[in-house]
Amino acid sequence: MKQFTVILCLLVVAFSCQNKAEEPVETSDNDKIVYDMYEPSEMANLMNQMYAHNLKVKQDILDGKTPTEFPMDFMKIHTAELSDFKDRNEVFESFSNVFLNAEREIFNEDSEVPVEERFNNAVNVCISCHQTECTGPIPRIQKLLIK
Ligand code: HEC
């Protein structure tokens, strides 16, 4: 059992990005050890923050409120440290720019495009970037889309 736990820990460290796709609600003792060992990177924290923020924006849109303020914190996507096992490469940088532009459009009050569509565009960029290197959270991100 001990060995199993060690292997689990290693797996969680190596694939933390994939692993977080499942809700981190863990109950048994073994799982708890694994969970405590997981130290989210600066980028992982930022991602969770972006997820939470966009969930709020989605709710506002559904409630008929117009989101007006671009969350400046999102700019940190250019500087936040990634988990050890990941490199910040050109693909990542260009997706970051596409994402920030799409996200900024949500808050563009002069846009002629319906806000639902602009919001979904941004969420689809989240998904596109994840398809390149971190597929785990995709099912969760898809739930953000406005149907
Ligand atoms: C430029 C590429 C890119 C974009 C755009 C992007 N992500 Fe990520 N996301 C990543 C990478 C890479 C990781 C893994 C970070 C790490 O482990 O350091 C990640 C991790 C995550 C995680 C898991 C965090 C954790 O706790 O391990 C969630 C949730 C997430 N992203 C949601 C989103 C949402 C929601 C958006 C859009 C609002 C988004 N991402 C946009 C690349 C991206």
Side-chain angles (χ1 to χ4, degrees), residues 53-54 56-57 60 65-74 100 103-109 115 118:
H53 192 95
N54 276 307
K56 252 189 259 156
V57 170
D60 278 353
K65 290 183 224 151
T66 317
T68 52
E69 232 176 285
F70 173 74
M72 288 309 286
D73 274 0
F74 284 19
L100 288 175
E103 186 79 26
R104 216 176 261 117
E105 266 308 292
I106 302 175
F107 305 94
N108 174 6
E109 288 167 273
V115 67
R118 282 178 276 143

Side-chain angles (χ1 to χ4, degrees), residues 16-18 20-21 38 40-45 47-48 50-52 54 74 77 81-87 91-100 103 122-123 125-130 132-134 137 140-141 144:
S16 54
C17 127
Q18 274 85 350
K20 294 292 283 184
Y38 173 72
S41 65
E42 213 183 323
M43 187 64 85
N45 283 332
M47 290 287 161
N48 283 318
M50 294 202 302
Y51 183 89
N54 276 307
F74 284 19
I77 197 170
E81 242 174 79
L82 289 149
S83 305
D84 299 343
F85 58 97
K86 288 214 163 54
D87 278 335
V91 178
F92 187 89
E93 285 307 322
S94 52
F95 265 119
S96 301
N97 285 324
V98 175
F99 166 68
L100 288 175
E103 186 79 26
V123 174
V125 183
C126 304
I127 294 169
S128 303
C129 186
H130 276 255
T132 66
E133 48 184 322
C134 176
R140 222 178 120 200
I141 301 174
L144 284 175

